[in-house]
Each structure stands twice: as C-alpha cells, then as structure tokens.
C-alpha cells in the first residue's frame, strides 16, 4: 500500500526520524508574472506574492524569486516555469546568469564581457541571438540568479519503462529492496 502524506508536521517528523535534515524556510517576494527567457519583452503587472525558500538561500543573498518564461536558457538548465532565486543589486561577473531590463524589456541571460570590454547578454539556446550592449541602450541588471528550482520535475514515461524492463529482466520475480537500489 502506498500512502501520500500531506500533513507538513507529519512529513517533517518522518524526515527528522530518518535522520534527514529539514531545512528552515523564509518568505520572500515571488513575481509569478515571470521574466522571459527569450527575446526581451514587457512583463506583467508588478504585484507579487510570497514564496518560501530555504534560509540557506537567504544567507547567500536571495532577495526575491521570479518565474522563468520561454526557452532561451535551456542550455543553462533553466526551463519554462522554473523558479529563479535572485540576489538583487549585485555586480555581475562574466558567466553570471542575470535578470536584466534592456530598454524597458525584461529577460534572463548570461552576462559576458569580452576582451575588448564589450558587454553581452547571451542566450543558452542557439535559436536566439546574443545581445551586444551599445551606448544607446538603457540596461539595468536587476540581479544575479543564485539557484534554479525546477517546476514539476519528472522522469519521462519511456525512461521509467526502460528501468522497469531492466529491473524485471535482471531479477527472477524477486522484490526490489533498498539494498538493490
């Protein structure tokens, strides 16, 4: 029998009883309208809700969370719907993933400064073009991404079936035990 737990106190007690550390959480602003990972564009209203994040992220400087929209950052393992924990007001270094407003339009990109001092915002998907910053652009880096939380992480059905086939092929109707995992 499989039981799905939904009582947070019961879950916490079960985890702690198994010696698993439960990480304390803190509320921070969450901008659910999202920031495009694609071509810079206007974003929705500026209202926000709150979301719980780990105290560790707060210690690292996380000040807010945004939802990723689009697919220009898939090479950096950022997908549609992911939550990005962002540290506001920091200086970006080459290679940092940033939330940036370019001429009033928001996007998520990798920041890079080349040998000549030219600054770039780089997608991590070949379907999109890099953005070269010039003196006529109004560029405002809102913050650097500290962490990515994937939305609805799942294993594809075909991968699950492959694992089940391998497990049944390698055993003779023996139940799979923890020592086999």
């Amino acid at each position: 029998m499989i039981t799905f737990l939904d009582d947070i106190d019961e879950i916490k007690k079960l985890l702690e009883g198994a010696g698993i550390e439960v990480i304390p959480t803190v509320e921070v602003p969450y901008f659910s309208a999202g920031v495009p990972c694609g071509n810079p564009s206007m974003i929705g209203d500026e209202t926000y809700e709150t979301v719980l994040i780990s105290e560790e992220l707060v210690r690292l400087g996380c000040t807010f969370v945004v939802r990723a929209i689009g697919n220009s950052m898939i090479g950096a393992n950022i997908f549609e719907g992911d939550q990005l924990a962002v540290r506001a007001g920091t200086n970006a270094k080459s290679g940092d993933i940033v939330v940036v407003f370019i001429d009033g339009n928001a996007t998520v990109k990798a920041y890079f400064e080349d040998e000549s001092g030219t600054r770039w915002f780089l997608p991590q998907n070949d379907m999109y073009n890099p953005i070269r910053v010039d003196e006529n652009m109004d560029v405002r880096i809102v913050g650097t991404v500290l962490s990515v939380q994937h939305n609805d992480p799942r294993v594809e059905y075909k991968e699950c079936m492959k694992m089940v086939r391998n497990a049944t092929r390698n055993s003779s109707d023996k139940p799979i035990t923890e020592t086999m995992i």
Side-chain angles (χ1 to χ4, degrees):
M1 179 172 135
I2 296 177
T3 304
F4 293 94
L5 302 177
D6 59 3
D7 180 324
I8 194 67
D9 292 327
E10 184 180 354
I11 293 167
K12 184 177 178 183
K13 191 164 111 178
L14 185 66
L15 292 172
E16 288 173 343
I20 299 170
E21 179 186 6
V22 177
I23 300 170
T25 58
V26 177
E27 281 189 4
V28 296
Y30 173 56
F31 297 90
S32 59
V35 176
C37 295
N39 296 318
S41 62
M42 296 297 290
I43 57 175
D45 63 50
E46 296 179 18
T47 60
Y48 65 88
E49 10 184 312
T50 59
V51 65
L52 290 173
I53 64 168
S54 73
E55 284 184 356
E56 179 63 25
L57 281 174
V58 172
R59 278 194 290 279
L60 291 173
C62 177
T63 48
F64 65 94
V65 175
V66 297
R67 186 171 59 88
I69 299 172
N71 64 359
S72 78
M73 296 301 290
I74 59 174
N77 208 24
I78 297 174
F79 302 95
E80 175 91 26
D82 286 352
Q83 293 182 357
L84 311 178
V86 181
R87 176 178 38 220
T90 59
N91 293 327
K93 296 184 265 299
S94 285
D96 284 348
I97 296 172
V98 297
V99 176
V100 60
F101 279 79
I102 302 171
D103 294 330
N105 297 306
T107 191
V108 175
K109 295 285 180 280
Y111 171 80
F112 182 72
E113 186 172 339
D114 67 23
E115 312 82 36
S116 68
T118 302
R119 294 179 178 153
W120 298 82
F121 293 103
L122 307 172
Q124 299 300 295
N125 180 338
D126 291 338
M127 292 174 40
Y128 296 87
N129 294 319
I131 300 168
R132 181 180 181 184
V133 177
D134 67 42
E135 65 277 351
N136 298 319
M137 298 170 115
D138 177 22
V139 177
R140 298 173 187 204
I141 296 176
V142 176
T144 56
V145 175
L146 295 171
S147 176
V148 178
Q149 179 179 329
H150 296 296
N151 183 37
D152 195 21
R154 302 178 57 78
V155 177
E156 294 293 325
Y157 179 83
K158 65 182 178 181
E159 291 300 315
C160 292
M161 284 305 299
K162 185 167 91 176
M163 295 295 290
V164 168
R165 276 191 218 103
N166 287 340
T168 56
R169 195 175 304 129
N170 296 333
S171 69
S172 54
D173 291 332
K174 290 187 250 176
I176 296 175
T177 64
E178 189 173 316
T179 56
M180 299 172 106
I181 297 175

